[in-house]
Amino acid sequence: QVQLVESGGGLVQPGGSLRLSCTVTGNIVSINTMGWYRQAPGKQSDVVASTTGGNTNYAASVKGRFAISRDNAKNTVYLQMNSLKPEDTAVYYCNAVGRYGDYTQLTSFSSWGQGTQVTVSS
């Protein structure tokens, strides 16, 4: 069983910063890709940032303001969000793709966190 636990959301003023964390638990063997998505009210979910191996990708709207990083030893991915804008308000979800199990059986997974609310407002 694989679970993703997110933390770090909240209310912040425009121009402020927040740091989101997402830890993957379970019998994790490897994690290939970790990423952050967001969904604003009435809008579809969009990818914010992702990291695979040593490569990172960002949505154009957050490039230069957000930074994704991961601690492989802790199976944790972070999203540092700076210069936040009201349009960044959304529920943020983390996603991880990898394999879990043991030496007898490996199973692929693509799992999601429960979501954390980020509100940017004065």
Side-chain angles (χ1 to χ4, degrees):
Q1 198 79 333
V2 176
Q3 289 188 320
L4 277 64
V5 180
E6 302 176 22
S7 62
L11 172 65
V12 65
Q13 292 186 341
S17 298
L18 282 175
R19 188 194 196 206
L20 306 183
S21 299
C22 174
T23 298
V24 186
T25 63
N27 255 7
I28 305 302
V29 173
S30 62
I31 300 177
N32 183 27
T33 299
M34 302 185 84
W36 290 94
Y37 293 71
R38 67 186 180 186
Q39 186 167 23
K43 296 186 177 181
Q44 67 179 18
S45 176
D46 291 319
V47 61
V48 176
S50 65
T51 175
T52 302
N55 298 317
T56 58
N57 290 285
Y58 296 93
S61 59
V62 306
K63 199 171 291 186
R65 300 188 298 121
F66 291 10
I68 188 170
S69 62
R70 61 192 283 182
D71 184 335
N72 291 326
K74 297 181 179 179
N75 289 334
T76 298
V77 63
Y78 306 95
L79 186 67
Q80 178 66 43
M81 304 184 293
N82 300 323
S83 302
L84 282 160
K85 304 175 181 180
E87 50 264 43
D88 294 318
T89 295
V91 178
Y92 284 70
Y93 299 89
C94 67
N95 171 261
V97 178
R99 294 191 298 176
Y100 72 95
D102 56 32
Y103 69 93
T104 63
Q105 183 174 357
L106 294 178
T107 304
S108 297
F109 72 88
S110 178
S111 298
W112 294 86
Q114 79 280 7
T116 186
Q117 177 70 46
V118 172
T119 302
V120 185
S121 175
S122 55

